[in-house]
Amino acid sequence: MASPSTQADYAAFEEKVKRTVYLDNLSPHITEPVVRSALNQFGNVKSVHFIPNYIEPRNIPQCALVEMEDLMQAEAVVSMTSHHYFMVSGMPRPVRALPAEVNMFDDRPKMPGRTIQCQWLDENDPDFKVAQKIKDLTKLNAAQSAFLLKQQLQEEESLAKYQQDILNANYKKHEVIDNIMVDGTARRLADRYNLRCD
């Protein structure tokens, strides 16, 4: 029988899960302050935990568990992203949000009354071939994920460069306008062509 403290710990953990949102489709370049800033409009973000990508040699976060202050705030995030595109920090794709599940947490406490047993499979065991197929599929998935991640990073770098170029061009336009206003060129042109310069 589980001790009262174990049951209380697990009950507190389940409450945390209810107010936590699972975000995916995140940019590999996204940071915790960006996620906080984006979701603070729905309430108070208590914590942001990126889920590492263990398939890739690089630990690039693409998913995150975001704990909100209460269940209503978490539901608001999920509801909004299911009805509208939610873009974060110039990402080329919308963020998706789902209610978090218990098995998404790597720091979850032991479930009261549950035990786990592991054993090696013999080559003659009927499940051995199934396990081997799963292992082969995992390797294939890792290769496909690496390719997709490379494409995704290239797209995001291209988008970031495009946005920076537009920002620089707009800055130069405003700088030119400010200069002709300050040095009197705009006033002289207005006087010459009988235009108002307000």
Side-chain angles (χ1 to χ4, degrees):
M1 179 158 173
S3 68
S5 64
T6 305
Q7 290 178 338
D9 289 346
Y10 199 79
F13 168 70
E14 287 182 316
E15 287 303 312
K16 176 183 174 180
V17 172
K18 288 177 186 174
R19 61 178 181 264
T20 301
V21 176
Y22 169 77
L23 295 182
D24 76 347
N25 227 15
L26 295 172
S27 164
H29 304 296
I30 203 161
T31 61
E32 180 178 333
V34 171
V35 173
R36 282 184 179 275
S37 176
L39 296 189
N40 271 337
Q41 62 186 298
F42 301 101
N44 183 30
V45 175
K46 290 186 73 176
S47 68
V48 176
H49 172 70
F50 288 108
I51 301 174
N53 185 346
Y54 293 113
I55 296 174
E56 293 298 319
R58 292 169 288 174
N59 236 1
I60 299 177
Q62 296 184 85
C63 309
L65 292 169
V66 182
E67 182 185 356
M68 303 300 288
E69 195 166 40
D70 60 42
L71 174 62
M72 287 179 57
Q73 293 174 6
E75 287 176 342
V77 174
V78 173
S79 174
M80 193 284 305
T81 58
S82 65
H83 293 96
H84 306 284
Y85 290 118
F86 187 59
M87 308 299 284
V88 174
S89 187
M91 289 170 34
R93 75 192 76 75
V95 173
R96 295 178 298 204
L98 297 168
E101 296 177 12
V102 170
N103 59 358
M104 294 176 176
F105 293 78
D106 56 6
D107 61 344
R108 61 186 178 270
K110 182 181 173 186
M111 184 184 289
R114 183 178 180 192
T115 58
I116 299 174
Q117 294 180 335
C118 300
Q119 66 183 34
W120 293 103
L121 288 177
D122 184 78
E123 287 186 22
N124 298 323
D125 191 306
D127 290 334
F128 183 83
K129 288 184 180 179
V130 174
Q132 188 64 48
K133 283 183 182 177
I134 291 172
K135 187 176 178 183
D136 293 342
L137 285 172
T138 302
K139 288 180 182 176
L140 177 63
N141 184 50
Q144 291 171 339
S145 295
F147 175 78
L148 289 174
L149 182 60
K150 184 178 177 185
Q151 297 296 317
Q152 176 182 327
L153 288 171
Q154 287 174 349
E155 284 179 18
E156 291 187 2
E157 285 167 9
S158 174
L159 175 67
K161 183 182 180 308
Y162 172 73
Q163 289 176 332
Q164 190 61 49
D165 290 346
I166 289 176
L167 187 66
N168 291 340
N170 286 337
Y171 177 77
K172 285 179 184 174
K173 287 177 192 173
H174 288 293
E175 197 174 41
V176 168
I177 292 169
D178 283 346
N179 287 340
I180 66 170
M181 294 301 286
V182 170
D183 70 7
T185 303
R187 174 74 52 203
R188 288 192 300 276
L189 287 170
D191 290 344
R192 177 164 180 101
Y193 294 104
N194 295 322
L195 298 172
R196 291 180 59 191
C197 183
D198 295 329

